[in-house]
Amino acid sequence: MGLLTFKGGIHPNDGKSLAKDKAIVEVLPEGDLVFPLSQHIGAPAAPIVKVGDQVLKGQKIAEAGGFVSAPVYSSVSGKVKAIAPYFTPTGGKVSSIIIENDGTYTEAERLNTRSLDLITKEEILNLISEAGIVGMGGAGFPTRVKLSPKEPEKIEYVIANCAECEPYITADYRRMLENPEELVEGMRVILKLFDNAKGIFAVEDNKPDCIAKLEQLTSGEPRMEVVRLMTKYPQGGERQLIYAVTKRAINSSMLPADVGCVVDNVETIIHIYDAVVNGRPCIDRVVTVSGDGIAEPGNFKVPLGINQQELIKAAGGLKGSPEKVISGGPMMGFAMFTLDVPVTKTSSSILCLTKDEVAMYEPSACINCGRCIDACPSRLIPSRLADYAERHDETAFEKEFGVECMECGSCSYVCPAKRQLKQAISSMRKTVLANRKKK
């Protein structure tokens, strides 16, 4: 069978060689830890501790603020120092719980769980909700909500997003190599929720070692399969992944469940296993620290709330004076103006680059070459949408399906005129969606 893929996409330099062969290293925090109450899509969590309280590692410190929300747990033991606004990796300030680490890591009681053979579907969903698990690939959508479609019997595929198509990031790759059993058992947990579904591990073909491990572990499993994807960006995009695996298309007004699919990334599935089988809440994650501005790029398992400056220190510190620091990948991540921010549930990577290549070029006029159209995975006309965005023509932007843009940046990458197409489209798309909510 040929490699599975989608139409469009690009092949940027992946930069993964800097960190892909570096085993995961655990890092303990040195200073205070900061826990933003908004680490997910939906309502912020509500604090259930106050300044001066002593807390334990794994103790809940904030309740979910609604059904589409997620609780927050302390990843260390110590004293609540403050509850105040603090910068997040995306640049905004949100209310956060600041805990002074006492260095003992005294643990709270774990969540109550039962044998996977005896546990019910409702108990599984409650544990996932109670553990505070969200989409840890970057989206941050509460996992309990994603795993609770209206008609669970119509779910045919549970797709493990093992593509990790963003350049430089290798956290999921290392997880697949070092913790493949936990990934497979996490899939087994999810499959207990969907009686008619098959578990698919969708892996890009530039990870043959991961494919071999997963094939070995799923051999003889009738409800699990490993499929090979063409290595291409943005192969890990939810819509692109579903199309590549099932040839079913969805748009911005649909959910994966509308075409019988559920998609979760590697880190999320491993945390599902940890919560349901081991009773551990979501208090840590693996983060890639990479780029040519990092002395010793690598992959680090860190407690949530640790300061990102400490993480860079663990990677040997900065090399020279990087011009660009990015939270996430270079294609869809966020440029950072300070490193004094915490690692959150959605922090997959910190990149430090010695050159800001985007700022080096001055955009020029469109030459109508059509490269952006060929590259667009959403099959749009990015150059035209950017023109509408720059003229603030909201009506024309909507008529040309501008909200279908997934903001992957492929158009900007291939543009010979160096136009900032993605940035213009993204700004207008946010305006359109905000105005729709007002109606």
Side-chain angles (χ1 to χ4, degrees):
M1 186 173 70
L3 295 174
L4 303 177
T5 191
F6 61 96
K7 294 180 181 179
I10 56 175
H11 299 272
N13 170 34
D14 69 8
K16 293 182 186 287
S17 59
L18 291 173
K20 69 183 291 288
D21 296 323
K22 305 292 180 65
I24 297 169
V25 175
E26 291 200 34
V27 176
L28 293 178
E30 298 175 357
D32 297 340
L33 288 95
V34 178
F35 302 90
L37 298 175
S38 293
Q39 300 185 42
H40 51 264
I41 291 172
I48 56 173
V49 293
K50 60 184 184 299
V51 175
D53 283 356
Q54 291 291 137
V55 299
L56 301 175
K57 177 182 177 182
Q59 178 180 329
K60 188 192 294 186
I61 56 177
E63 292 270 14
F67 181 63
V68 184
S69 186
V72 177
Y73 289 79
S74 176
S75 58
V76 296
S77 55
K79 185 167 70 173
V80 178
K81 193 173 179 180
I83 301 176
Y86 209 95
F87 279 115
T88 67
T90 57
K93 264 190 175 181
V94 304
S95 183
S96 306
I97 298 172
I98 302 166
I99 294 179
E100 185 178 3
N101 180 16
D102 65 13
T104 66
Y105 303 98
T106 307
E107 288 198 39
E109 287 187 17
R110 294 194 176 188
L111 305 174
N112 292 323
T113 186
R114 294 200 296 159
S115 164
L116 199 55
D117 295 329
L118 302 174
I119 197 167
T120 67
K121 294 178 182 180
E122 193 59 30
E123 286 174 325
I124 290 173
L125 289 172
N126 287 338
L127 278 167
I128 289 169
S129 176
E130 188 65 14
I133 300 170
V134 303
M136 302 179 79
F141 194 76
T143 303
R144 160 67 189 261
V145 182
K146 180 181 283 191
L147 297 180
S148 304
K150 291 180 181 178
E151 299 175 296
E153 69 279 0
K154 291 187 177 180
I155 299 300
E156 298 177 66
Y157 299 99
V158 175
I159 304 173
N161 185 349
C162 306
E164 196 168 47
C165 61
E166 269 272 12
Y168 291 95
I169 305 178
T170 56
D172 283 353
Y173 170 76
R174 294 308 311 181
R175 277 293 212 178
M176 286 186 277
L177 280 185
E178 298 182 40
N179 310 111
E181 295 86 0
E182 295 176 23
L183 176 60
V184 171
E185 290 306 306
M187 175 65 80
R188 197 183 310 280
V189 172
I190 300 174
L191 289 176
K192 278 191 70 84
L193 299 172
F194 304 108
D195 297 332
N196 304 318
K198 185 170 188 178
I200 305 291
F201 296 92
V203 194
E204 284 191 321
D205 69 329
N206 65 347
K207 304 173 182 68
D209 41 3
C210 296
I211 291 171
K213 283 209 171 196
L214 292 172
E215 285 180 336
Q216 180 184 357
L217 289 171
T218 58
S219 175
E221 293 278 358
R223 296 187 65 195
M224 295 187 196
E225 181 184 355
V226 181
V227 301
R228 298 171 184 243
L229 305 172
M230 181 182 292
T231 300
K232 182 169 64 170
Y233 177 86
Q235 189 71 263
E238 193 169 64
R239 296 185 216 171
Q240 286 67 44
L241 190 65
I242 290 172
Y243 182 81
V245 172
T246 71
K247 294 298 179 277
R248 300 174 184 180
I250 62 172
N251 58 38
S252 63
S253 65
M254 299 170 67
L255 295 172
D258 294 332
V259 290
C261 297
V262 168
V263 181
D264 275 310
N265 92 309
V266 169
E267 190 75 16
T268 305
I269 295 174
I270 289 175
H271 275 79
I272 288 173
Y273 161 81
D274 223 8
V276 176
V277 176
N278 298 326
R280 291 185 76 246
C282 184
I283 58 172
D284 55 30
R285 70 158 298 138
V286 176
V287 181
T288 297
V289 184
S290 191
D292 60 358
I294 292 291
E296 299 170 15
N299 303 284
F300 303 89
K301 188 174 184 181
V302 299
L304 298 179
I306 189 174
N307 194 285
Q308 294 202 9
Q309 292 179 105
E310 294 183 35
L311 200 43
I312 286 178
K313 181 180 176 183
L318 297 174
K319 191 164 62 176
S321 300
E323 290 185 356
K324 191 75 137 186
V325 179
I326 300 169
S327 174
M331 299 300 295
M332 296 185 75
F334 299 88
M336 295 164 62
F337 62 89
T338 177
L339 287 169
D340 184 19
V341 295
V343 169
T344 66
K345 295 176 184 179
T346 58
S347 299
S348 59
S349 171
I350 308 167
L351 301 182
C352 297
L353 306 174
T354 56
K355 297 293 182 184
D356 184 351
E357 294 186 26
V358 174
M360 288 169 58
Y361 298 101
E362 188 69 31
S364 56
C366 174
I367 61 172
N368 296 312
C369 66
R371 291 183 192 177
C372 61
I373 301 170
D374 290 337
C376 179
S378 299
R379 317 316 296 149
L380 303 174
I381 307 176
S383 56
R384 187 178 296 171
L385 290 173
D387 287 340
Y388 294 146
E390 288 165 2
R391 296 201 301 265
H392 305 287
D393 190 340
E394 193 171 329
T395 302
F397 184 86
E398 284 200 81
K399 189 176 179 181
E400 292 284 342
F401 308 103
V403 292
E404 296 301 320
C405 171
M406 62 174 287
E407 302 182 23
C408 67
S410 296
C411 53
S412 296
Y413 183 84
V414 300
C415 179
K418 304 301 178 186
R419 295 182 67 199
Q420 296 184 0
L421 301 171
K422 181 258 185 182
Q423 292 86 338
I425 295 169
S426 175
S427 179
M428 176 56 81
R429 186 171 177 272
K430 288 178 174 61
T431 298
V432 170
L433 293 174
N435 288 339
R436 282 185 181 180
K437 288 182 180 179
K438 295 176 184 177
K439 295 178 181 178

